[in-house]
Amino acid sequence: MAEVKISEMRDLTRIERIGAHSHIRGLGLDSSLEPRLSSEGMVGQTSARKAAGVIVKMVQEGKIAGRAVLLAGQPGTGKTAIAMGMAKSLGQETPFAMLAGSELYSLEMSKTEALMQAFRKAIGVRIKEEAEVIEGEVVEVQIDRPAVAGAASKTGKLTLKTTDMETVYDLGGKMIEALGKEKVQSGDVIAIDKASGKITKLGRSFSRSRDYDAMGPQTKFVQCPEGELQKRKEIVHCVTLHEIDVINSRTQGFLALFTGDTGEIRAEVREQIDTKVAEWREEGKAEIVPGVLFIDEVHMLDIECFSFLNRALENDMAPILVVATNRGITTIRGTNYKSPHGIPIDFLDRLLIISTQPYKEEEIRKILDIRCQEEDVEMSEDAKILLTKIGVNTSLRYAIHLITSAALACQKRKGKIVEVDDVTRVYNLFYDVKRSTQYLMEYQSQYMFNEVPTGDAEEDETTAMVS
């Protein structure tokens, strides 16, 4: 027998993308909205997190629609992290749309249209409808396969029961296929939509919890349904206004959501949709769920965008607007006027301002610990102390960047734990802002288009600014 040679064997592992804020799980507050020192990936910023928690509570109770919040603070003080924490705390049903101020200028549509689409992505509509449903516990699934392939279609019987009754249903080809797709077996509690024939697996019956089945930790146990098998149930669908806009403005209907090319949507389409949603609200068929629109780097917006936001916030169906900026007193884009945070005073007056403060040394240490865990990097105590000092003297972002770099340096020397030497090596390889600026000061004459004056007084002033 010929010998088969294996030229190469590889482990197939799933690559997981680790983002800058992938460790954030929520705002880290207790039931009375008091911030814990370190919880759900959040560290420090206790007053800012508490304020954000109050906003989240008001959003959940639907009491703050059409308001705006500003997260203002120095770079690297966790403004985007707080916004992400708010998104996680709001849960699945509350819409959360996120964009950067500069994104509006890179889209193939007008700035105000891009803002309007972002606004409508952050407004949810909960649509209720009644449907005939068969709900019960599966006693037996019996499928008769034909003896000769292709001679006849499969037939079968499904026995369902509740606490009060038990019925046998005849199955057709489509239902057999649907049951197979959902992997329905005896002991499962299922719901069948009579109109569409859609099967939903609700869980496994408690009476079968002691069966020796192969069950994972995600298996959900439910009680056997009571009453009759066939009942009328209220089904709730959650969609955003933007999704309704896209479906109604494109010839291909809901498939337009997958093409990605939404383009500009005509005002008449939106007016008709708003009228229809208002009718549904009056009839009790739908309710509006105001979500959150987060605009990062809000100082990048110009005066036209701010004027649009001023007007949009007064709309009946406006979401909660959360904006963030790291600028001080600067020029409002599109004008020659200076204003705090580069935001016009009339718009600034509408904002509830939450301030973020620079992190303390022990907080930087905790954040670095969390990031090491998130990036699966084992680091010695001395290396962590050095990295914390680097974070204090330079910036938290720079220290976080060095974690993966130091892990790669450790990997190169075939080490298991990142040591001080690895951190020192990457610190010397990659410059931080202060050292980079210092280098530019020393070698400025060798660079093109240098605009720094060469006088002694100016050099002393620039060096003082850097230090």
Side-chain angles (χ1 to χ4, degrees), residues 1 16 28 61 63 94 120 158 201 214 235 249 258 291 295 300 333 358 360 365 370 376 382-383 399 406 426 442 447:
M1 201 175 157
E16 287 188 10
E61 291 175 6
K63 291 181 178 174
T94 308
R120 289 174 80 85
L158 171 69
K201 216 172 179 182
I235 296 169
S249 65
F258 303 102
I295 303 176
M300 291 300 292
R333 211 172 158 174
K360 300 187 183 83
R365 171 61 196 266
I370 291 166
D376 204 16
D382 291 342
V426 292
E442 288 174 24
Y447 283 83

Side-chain angles (χ1 to χ4, degrees), residues 359-368 388 391-392 396:
Y359 287 107
K360 300 187 183 83
E361 190 171 337
E362 61 270 22
E363 290 170 350
I364 289 174
R365 171 61 196 266
K366 277 180 188 169
I367 292 167
L368 291 171
T388 306
V392 171
L396 175 61

Side-chain angles (χ1 to χ4, degrees), residues 103-172:
E103 269 181 60
L104 301 178
Y105 305 98
S106 61
L107 300 169
E108 292 176 355
M109 60 179 84
S110 69
K111 294 171 285 187
T112 50
E113 172 63 20
L115 272 174
M116 178 56 87
Q117 288 194 13
F119 256 71
R120 289 174 80 85
K121 278 177 190 170
I123 303 165
V125 185
R126 200 180 279 128
I127 302 163
K128 302 168 190 170
E129 63 173 0
E130 282 194 355
E132 289 276 346
V133 177
I134 297 166
E135 193 176 273
E137 182 187 327
V138 178
V139 178
E140 187 186 9
V141 183
Q142 186 184 344
I143 296 165
D144 303 320
R145 287 174 177 80
V148 183
S153 59
K154 289 185 221 174
T155 56
K157 285 182 166 52
L158 171 69
T159 312
L160 286 177
K161 70 165 188 178
T162 64
T163 50
D164 299 350
M165 63 188 290
E166 186 173 311
T167 309
V168 179
Y169 294 95
D170 289 325
L171 298 173

